[in-house]
């Protein structure tokens, strides 16, 4: 092969390499769950919450739950009670979980049906994590450690580094005990500050959304 031919081959090879790298950079993030496992977890959560209703009302008609989107543990109470109020069934927190005002006209079955929808449509992060395997728990931890925390720091918020205990530790105790938002919340910021940071640096990855259709990925920043 002539020198010119070798140079041409080298240029073509470099171009192909650049295209391959560009394709890799543009590739969507991996989905540690996959549609089948996501549907299994979704159904398990729905069944668990509906079991609380049919225990007392075995003939109750099961309402549809159009979306199942987990929320961070610190937001769960506010989201749940907000859903109840929007559904016309006022409830408030109590030592036993919630208090229901039975003088407003709804039957206890109506209350429990609405509670089922509100609990199932927005399960807590901890509840969803309890269904994750080691690999998907590791993927969630990586998302929080490599994406959420740097995003918080770039936004000017403080966020403690994760504990160092090796891979096995990360998959169990540390994942449950550490949160990139822990230090932010400990400082008792204003609600609008927390809302801004959660919007800019979503605490949970898109692949943890348990709706039937996986939403487009959001890159914090």
């Amino acid at each position: 092969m002539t020198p010119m031919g070798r140079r041409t081959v080298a240029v073509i090879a470099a171009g192909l390499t650049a295209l391959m790298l560009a394709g890799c950079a543009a590739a969507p993030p991996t989905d540690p769950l996959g549609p089948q496992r996501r549907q299994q977890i979704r159904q398990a959560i729905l069944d668990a919450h509906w079991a609380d209703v049919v225990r007392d009302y075995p003939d109750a008609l099961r309402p549809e739950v159009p979306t199942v989107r987990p929320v961070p543990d610190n937001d769960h109470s506010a989201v749940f009670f907000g859903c109840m109020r929007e559904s016309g069934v006022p409830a408030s927190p109590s030592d036993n979980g919630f208090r229901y005002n039975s003088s407003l006209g709804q039957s206890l079955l109506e209350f429990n049906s609405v509670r089922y929808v509100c609990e199932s449509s927005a399960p807590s992060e901890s509840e969803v994590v309890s269904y994750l395997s080691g690999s998907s728990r590791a993927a969630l931890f990586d998302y929080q450690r490599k994406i959420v925390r740097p995003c918080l720091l770039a936004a000017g918020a403080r966020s403690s580094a994760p504990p160092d205990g090796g891979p096995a530790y990360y998959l169990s105790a540390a994942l449950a005990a550490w949160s990139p938002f822990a230090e932010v919340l400990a400082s008792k910021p204003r609600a609008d500050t927390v809302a801004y940071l959660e919007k800019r640096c979503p605490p949970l990855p898109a692949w943890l959304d348990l709706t039937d259709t996986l939403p487009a990925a959001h890159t914090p920043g």
Side-chain angles (χ1 to χ4, degrees):
M1 182 181 292
T2 66
M4 177 64 72
R6 285 194 293 271
R7 283 197 297 272
T8 301
V9 171
V11 169
I12 292 174
L16 289 173
T17 300
L19 286 173
M20 291 173 65
L21 290 175
C24 291
T30 57
D31 177 6
L33 288 180
Q36 182 177 2
R37 181 57 184 150
R38 182 175 295 103
Q39 180 59 32
Q40 289 172 344
I41 295 175
R42 170 192 169 92
Q43 194 59 50
I45 288 174
L46 293 175
D47 291 345
H49 287 292
W50 185 242
D52 293 335
V53 179
V54 295
R55 186 179 298 115
D56 296 320
Y57 302 94
D59 297 325
L61 295 177
R62 188 168 182 169
E64 268 201 50
V65 180
T67 60
V68 179
R69 294 196 175 109
V71 296
D73 290 346
N74 60 283
D75 295 331
H76 184 253
S77 178
V79 171
F80 169 73
F81 287 110
C83 175
M84 295 291 285
R85 287 191 295 271
E86 289 174 7
S87 301
V89 182
S92 56
S94 72
D95 293 339
N96 297 323
F98 51 80
R99 183 182 298 106
Y100 166 57
N101 187 345
S102 60
S103 65
L104 298 177
Q106 296 95 352
S107 69
L108 193 56
L109 173 56
E110 289 174 314
F111 167 75
N112 280 300
S113 294
V114 172
R115 185 187 69 173
Y116 161 72
V117 173
C118 290
E119 287 180 335
S120 302
S121 62
S124 69
E125 176 185 352
S126 294
E127 180 178 5
V128 176
V129 167
S130 70
Y131 290 94
L132 299 183
S133 66
S135 60
S136 50
R137 285 189 181 212
L140 174 59
F141 180 80
D142 278 346
Y143 173 80
Q144 294 173 331
R145 179 170 61 98
K146 298 177 180 178
I147 297 179
V148 179
R149 182 171 179 265
C151 176
L152 287 174
L153 295 175
R158 297 185 63 181
S159 180
S160 297
D164 184 11
Y169 187 64
Y170 284 153
L171 298 183
S172 55
L175 184 59
W178 178 80
S179 164
F181 277 88
E183 194 165 350
V184 174
L185 297 173
S187 66
K188 300 187 183 304
R190 290 171 21 175
D192 57 347
T193 299
V194 176
Y196 164 74
L197 290 173
E198 288 186 339
K199 183 176 181 180
R200 175 169 175 169
C201 313
L204 303 177
W207 55 262
L208 209 59
D209 192 317
L210 303 176
T211 51
D212 289 332
T213 303
L214 188 64
H218 175 84
T219 302

